[in-house]
Amino acid sequence: MSALLEAHGLNLRFGAVPALEDVSIEVHPGEVVAIVGESGSGKTTLLRVLSGMMRPDSGEVRYRDPDGAVHVIHAMGEAALRQLHRTDWGFVHQNPRDGLRMRVSAGGNIGERLMATGARHYGRIRTEATEWLRRVEIDPERIDGMPALFSGGMQQRLQIARTLVTRPRLVFMDEPTGGLDVSVQARLLDLIRALVADLGIAVVIVTHDIAAARLLAHRLLVMRRGQVVEQGLTDRVLDDPQHEYTQLLVASVLAA
Ligand SMILES: Nc1ncnc2c1ncn2[C@@H]1O[C@H](COP(=O)(O)OP(=O)(O)OP(=O)(O)O)[C@@H](O)[C@H]1O
């Protein structure tokens, strides 16, 4: 297996609703893959299954660790999966409150994740937290401030700093700019793009924003009613969509 993450034949139903139907995906090191599609098409469900947060009815997700060992995600114990999420992996939630500890300071949020990967030296942790606040354009003077007092955009940038500080190999992002003002979204997208490229992180990002997908992703996966109807290089899919649904999706963005 040369991919970092590989899923084959994923199926998952919620009662009569097929949320995932025979979905397969590969993510290579340093690659940004966007999952796009209309509301209810199964994007979030796919992200949750890939990240081990939800179990599929059938199909398999495999991850290759830095030593080359391959792990079947849904066969891993809870502790091992939690450890993976704390170290090699990251998850950026749409709502920063789901990814931050709101009663812990901004610096503490970043430091906590560093400590999970073995950092112990207080001075070095604080220096690194300061550096990361700067990288995500938060005034380092706010290091002891509580995230609850930050704006939505700042909270999201803090969540990104907390996630990326350990330089994970793979980050899952669920509509990271959703719920923010358009001007704030653009700035955040630029920041994510720069950080991800700089660190060479692989990303699986869910978005219904085609412009965001074009800006960030190397590859696109278009979902409709639980199925992947088209996938390929971002420019190819958006400039020359093959599936009727993708054509509609692209046309609706151009018309907006
Ligand atoms: N826990 C659940 N119980 C029952 N049905 C669910 C559950 N989670 C998702 N669904 C259904 O599965 C389908 C896929 O949902 P999912 O949230 O993955 O879509 P999505 O593409 O992420 O949508 P959105 O862009 O609105 O977040 C939808 O029909 C949804 O109603």
Side-chain angles (χ1 to χ4, degrees):
M1 165 174 169
S2 66
L4 200 56
L5 191 79
E6 226 177 70
H8 291 289
L10 297 176
N11 286 283
L12 178 57
R13 297 183 78 85
F14 294 111
V17 178
L20 297 179
E21 267 194 298
D22 197 23
V23 172
S24 298
I25 177 175
E26 277 188 6
V27 184
H28 294 269
E31 184 182 39
V32 180
V33 179
I35 303 167
V36 299
E38 65 196 352
S39 184
S41 57
K43 306 183 297 294
T44 297
T45 303
L46 176 56
L47 200 68
R48 295 177 75 85
V49 167
L50 291 177
S51 60
M53 294 160 79
M54 205 178 254
R55 190 171 280 280
D57 295 334
S58 60
E60 195 173 80
V61 181
R62 290 186 292 170
Y63 169 68
R64 183 170 49 79
D65 75 18
D67 300 324
V70 174
H71 304 267
V72 176
I73 292 306
H74 297 91
M76 289 175 80
E78 212 176 291
L81 187 62
R82 206 177 313 125
Q83 183 63 11
L84 193 59
H85 270 276
R86 284 204 190 123
T87 55
D88 266 21
W89 287 8
F91 200 107
V92 175
H93 300 264
Q94 173 171 359
N95 185 344
R97 287 171 179 268
D98 295 334
L100 291 174
R101 294 232 284 139
M102 298 308 283
R103 291 168 188 277
V104 173
S105 69
N109 265 282
I110 299 174
E112 192 180 58
R113 175 122 169 139
L114 277 172
M115 288 174 76
T117 53
R120 288 290 172 267
H121 188 283
Y122 177 79
R124 279 203 287 274
I125 292 173
R126 199 166 165 92
T127 304
E128 185 124 15
T130 306
E131 177 52 30
W132 268 90
L133 287 175
R134 214 174 269 127
R135 283 184 93 158
V136 296
E137 299 165 8
I138 294 175
D139 182 353
E141 300 259 306
R142 312 247 347 218
I143 190 165
D144 297 316
M146 289 294 162
L149 302 177
F150 289 6
S151 70
M154 280 170 75
Q155 286 180 3
Q156 196 55 296
R157 281 181 273 129
L158 180 61
Q159 187 189 190
I160 287 165
R162 173 182 162 101
T163 307
L164 300 189
V165 65
T166 53
R167 293 174 167 71
R169 300 170 77 216
L170 175 63
V171 175
F172 300 94
M173 298 188 181
D174 192 0
E175 300 271 12
T177 59
L180 296 171
D181 287 352
V182 175
S183 61
V184 177
Q185 284 185 13
R187 192 167 147 217
L188 187 61
L189 280 174
D190 266 345
L191 184 71
I192 292 174
R193 182 172 65 163
L195 288 173
V196 164
D198 188 29
L199 300 172
I201 295 171
V203 176
V204 184
I205 181 171
V206 160
T207 180
H208 61 261
D209 181 348
I210 300 287
R214 187 184 291 270
L215 189 76
L216 290 176
H218 302 117
R219 237 162 14 92
L220 286 193
L221 222 84
V222 184
M223 289 192 74
R224 188 193 190 197
R225 295 189 194 138
Q227 296 180 346
V228 176
V229 295
E230 183 162 354
Q231 59 175 307
L233 294 175
T234 304
D235 289 345
R236 204 282 296 149
V237 173
L238 296 182
D239 296 338
D240 184 22
Q242 301 296 307
H243 192 279
E244 198 185 336
Y245 175 71
T246 317
Q247 291 166 0
L248 273 173
L249 205 67
V250 173
S252 66
V253 177
L254 293 177

